[in-house]
Amino acid sequence: MVCGSSKHVHAAFDMAVNHRLLVERYEYNGQDVSNTFYATASAGYAGNLEPLVSNVAEDMGRVMEGVAAQAWSNAIWALAKHEEIKAGRLGQGVFVVLDRGVAAMGSLVRSGSANPQALANVLWALPKLGWKGDMSVVGVLASALAVQAANAKPQALANALWALSKLKWRVDTSVVGEQANGLVKKASSATPQVLANTLWALSELSWYDASTYSTLVSALQSKFGEAEATRDQQCLAGLCRGAALG
């Protein structure tokens, strides 16, 4: 259910976010925080989240200690979705949460506890939130996703490549190649938008492989009978860019 569709649903979210967690000082933990952020983003909650984000940022050591990779990923993804909808609504505390979350994800990745979707969601969120932190951690996340590319969905791989291009990451060609190859193997099931975004990202990353481009361009061309592709100028732009480079 979407918050905007019912004032009662919106009121329930207000109660959970502003009263239960902040006024009653409910002893919430990291999973509670992750679930709350994720639920508010998924439901399109438009209330003020700055007090909650600030409260979490001030008590990071207690609240987010020992949080699992999936919970961190959900929280970071949700904050990015909120920022995408209404920039500036989260306050400065979001950068404290983000820095701690990215560092935690870097450590969790090294222990092998992050799945492809969790990795892709965190990478996608970083440019959305204007993150300017340690780029070596980006390399760790991108490398971990590359290793698991065969198990990643096309959308996840496309989002990760888009994020790497936006972050101006110092390209590791083997990492980009593994992610691109993972998408090539699933090109027939990818949407036109995913294929176009991938071609755009690879171009921005100055990464080129003739076989990869040929497969992606061919797959996108074959989908131009679909309504989504024919009306989407970005798909056309992606096709033209891929064709020019191929």
Side-chain angles (χ1 to χ4, degrees):
M1 183 174 288
V2 178
C3 279
S5 65
S6 168
K7 63 180 182 181
H8 299 296
V9 175
H10 195 282
F13 272 86
D14 275 338
M15 175 63 73
V17 172
N18 297 314
H19 189 76
R20 181 73 168 143
L21 295 182
L22 297 178
V23 177
E24 294 184 2
R25 305 297 293 176
Y26 167 72
E27 282 294 313
Y28 56 85
N29 57 34
Q31 190 63 57
D32 296 326
V33 170
S34 175
N35 290 347
T36 299
F37 287 153
Y38 187 84
T40 54
S42 299
Y45 174 68
N48 183 20
L49 287 171
E50 183 173 355
L52 178 58
V53 173
S54 177
N55 192 274
V56 172
E58 290 172 3
D59 200 13
M60 287 289 290
R62 179 190 68 81
V63 176
M64 304 304 286
E65 182 67 29
V67 171
Q70 189 63 58
W72 268 120
S73 175
N74 287 350
I76 293 170
W77 172 88
L79 291 172
K81 291 296 287 186
H82 279 299
E83 189 67 12
E84 188 178 42
I85 295 168
K86 192 173 182 180
R89 185 160 56 92
L90 301 175
Q92 292 302 304
V94 69
F95 296 109
V96 176
V97 177
L98 184 59
D99 284 345
R100 180 66 174 267
V102 171
M105 283 296 295
S107 297
L108 289 164
V109 161
R110 293 182 181 95
S111 68
S113 58
N115 64 43
Q117 192 64 56
L119 294 165
N121 284 352
V122 172
L123 287 168
W124 173 85
L126 297 182
K128 291 286 184 179
L129 288 165
W131 188 72
K132 305 291 184 185
D134 182 3
M135 291 300 290
S136 68
V137 182
V138 172
V140 170
L141 300 179
S143 296
L145 179 57
V147 170
Q148 301 183 60
N151 298 318
K153 294 180 180 180
Q155 182 72 63
L157 293 168
N159 285 352
L161 289 168
W162 171 86
L164 293 175
S165 70
K166 285 292 186 179
L167 289 166
K168 306 301 181 186
W169 178 59
R170 185 175 180 179
V171 177
D172 181 325
T173 55
S174 64
V175 169
V176 174
E178 286 296 328
Q179 291 187 21
N181 188 51
L183 209 152
V184 162
K185 292 177 180 178
K186 302 171 185 178
S188 61
S189 64
T191 66
Q193 188 67 62
V194 163
L195 294 168
N197 288 351
T198 301
L199 286 166
W200 180 90
L202 293 176
S203 174
E204 289 294 302
L205 289 164
S206 299
W207 185 90
Y208 178 76
D209 173 76
S211 177
T212 297
Y213 271 84
S214 176
T215 301
L216 294 175
V217 169
S218 296
L220 184 53
Q221 286 176 323
S222 72
K223 294 176 182 289
F224 259 77
E226 299 177 15
E228 177 188 350
T230 55
R231 69 170 178 264
D232 194 326
Q233 292 302 311
Q234 189 170 352
C235 289
L236 291 170
L239 177 59
C240 290
R241 178 172 288 196
L245 291 169

